[in-house]
Amino acid sequence: MAIAKAERLMNLALCLLGARRPLSKRELRDSIEAYVEAVRPESGAAGSDDSFNRMFERDKDDLRELGLVIDTVENLDGEVGYLARRDSNRLPPITLDAEEAAALGLAAKVWQQARLAGAASGALQKLRAAGLPEDVDPYEVHGALEPRIPVHETAFEPLMLACRDRRPVLFEYRKASAARPEPRHVEPWALECWRGHWYLAGFDRDRGAERVFRLSRITGRVRSRGTGFTAPVPDVVTVRETVASWAGEIADRSALIRLRTGSGYPLRAKATKVRELGDGWDELEIPYGHGLDAWLVEFGPDVVVLEPAELRADVVDRLRAVAKG
């Protein structure tokens, strides 16, 4: 249905843009195949004409909403015609200075390792044709810079398209504390790269709340599920801030741990207090935020959580999940 409507709108726009004089409803109806189908007498000619009129009015409004300027002209006989004048629908010339061209070049180079490389290169070619200064090479202005955003996860492309098309998805997701993946039904909002990892932010339908997913933990194929979102999309999706909070970058409490002497130097660097206990152990007070349990597990038997109790329980759960494989 969506493809048929898009094709109908495109045909209507081409007819209006290509006409040298205003076209009446009757002429447009006879020129576009989708309208011809709409007026075929199945339930009576009058019903068919009504169907066409409703369809045409909706299509005309949709094209105007998309930005096409459609003029309504009445001829000497009182018949109304429609025309999309080319001079009214021509975009202004594109002007870019050297710094703007350099920024676009760097943006295109970022995606050279991803499936968007072709689209990025094509966009620059179109900008050159539209007026990009000939003496500016967007790839070489800052040639010493080699930005890269690696995209190794197979889930990236289908999720990127789902975010663009506002299409719900279903995938298997394994949390760091879980031994097995579980299905997640998500309305995807935005993708963002943070510290070398890609994350998806969206509305988790099963949990009825916003969630952030790390793409490397998505297993299997990303599948589309239905159309339309059930939850409003926020104006600003703070993926990095959410991930930073979950990773313990934003701490609002303190935790007390025992750390084996001579180990865990990253933990010692964050510690606000350190006390020697003897017998090869030290006691540390460190900032406690969401995700600290996942970090502490990486130090294995060199760390023992003393308090709070919920942090200790989370670390024990993660270690059990690791032990189960």
Side-chain angles (χ1 to χ4, degrees):
M1 292 292 290
I3 295 176
K5 180 177 181 180
E7 183 178 353
R8 192 174 72 240
L9 290 175
M10 179 64 72
N11 289 334
L12 177 58
L14 291 175
C15 276
L16 294 173
L17 286 168
R20 296 186 177 181
R21 60 174 179 80
L23 299 176
S24 66
K25 274 189 182 182
R26 175 181 50 79
E27 291 173 311
L28 291 169
R29 182 188 63 187
D30 296 338
S31 301
I32 298 175
E33 184 178 356
Y35 293 152
V36 174
E37 293 287 337
V39 297
R40 284 184 178 172
E42 296 179 358
S43 59
S48 298
D49 287 338
D50 290 342
S51 298
F52 161 70
N53 287 329
R54 289 194 299 268
M55 184 183 297
F56 175 74
E57 292 301 323
R58 285 197 303 265
D59 291 349
K60 182 159 54 71
D61 291 342
D62 287 343
L63 286 178
R64 281 173 169 164
E65 187 174 346
L66 290 171
L68 188 69
V69 179
I70 301 175
D71 295 333
T72 302
V73 181
E74 186 173 341
N75 62 20
L76 296 176
D77 297 329
E79 187 179 29
V80 175
Y82 303 91
L83 178 68
R85 304 181 193 278
R86 288 185 176 272
D87 55 352
S88 301
N89 289 282
R90 185 177 291 115
L91 292 175
I94 298 175
T95 56
L96 298 172
D97 58 28
E99 291 185 355
E100 291 169 334
L104 288 172
L106 288 174
K109 293 180 75 174
V110 162
W111 294 105
Q112 285 181 2
Q113 292 180 342
R115 293 289 296 273
L116 293 177
S121 299
L124 285 178
Q125 291 293 335
K126 292 178 181 178
L127 287 173
R128 275 208 177 281
L132 186 69
E134 288 296 331
D135 58 343
V136 174
D137 188 342
Y139 285 110
E140 296 299 332
V141 174
H142 296 292
L145 297 176
E146 291 292 334
R148 292 289 188 273
I149 296 183
V151 180
H152 304 297
E153 297 88 350
T154 57
F156 176 83
E157 186 172 2
L159 288 176
M160 177 193 67
L161 297 175
C163 289
R164 182 196 67 184
D165 299 336
R166 299 289 176 90
R167 202 172 58 244
V169 293
L170 178 68
F171 51 78
E172 298 286 325
Y173 188 76
R174 183 186 61 79
K175 295 193 299 184
S177 59
R180 295 180 180 83
E182 58 182 12
R184 309 298 283 266
H185 196 182
V186 179
E187 298 175 8
W189 293 342
L191 285 163
E192 192 156 345
C193 187
W194 188 74
R195 296 192 174 180
H197 298 287
W198 278 98
Y199 295 87
L200 169 72
F203 181 76
D204 190 320
R205 286 185 172 179
D206 298 322
R207 289 152 184 79
E210 176 184 353
R211 289 291 185 271
V212 173
F213 306 91
R214 183 164 155 174
L215 265 60
S216 61
R217 292 177 182 158
I218 295 178
T219 62
R221 188 168 60 92
V222 176
R223 292 160 287 173
S224 298
R225 277 294 178 269
T227 57
F229 283 6
T230 60
V233 180
D235 294 333
V236 178
V237 182
T238 55
V239 181
R240 293 191 182 191
E241 290 80 353
T242 302
V243 175
S245 174
W246 287 16
E249 297 290 326
I250 302 174
D252 55 1
R253 293 171 287 173
S254 294
L256 198 62
I257 65 171
R258 288 177 60 193
L259 181 63
R260 199 182 301 276
T261 303
S263 65
Y265 290 103
L267 291 172
R268 296 179 185 276
K270 285 185 172 291
T272 56
K273 293 181 181 179
V274 179
R275 183 167 69 91
E276 293 184 8
L277 299 177
D279 295 329
W281 291 91
D282 298 327
E283 184 179 270
L284 280 68
E285 185 175 324
I286 59 176
Y288 173 27
H290 188 98
L292 179 59
D293 54 331
W295 193 31
L296 293 177
V297 167
E298 298 178 7
F299 296 94
D302 291 334
V303 169
V304 177
V305 179
L306 301 177
E307 56 184 56
E310 65 265 23
L311 176 60
R312 180 181 177 89
D314 290 341
V315 171
V316 170
D317 289 342
R318 286 181 178 271
L319 289 173
R320 286 175 176 166
V322 172
K324 290 179 181 178

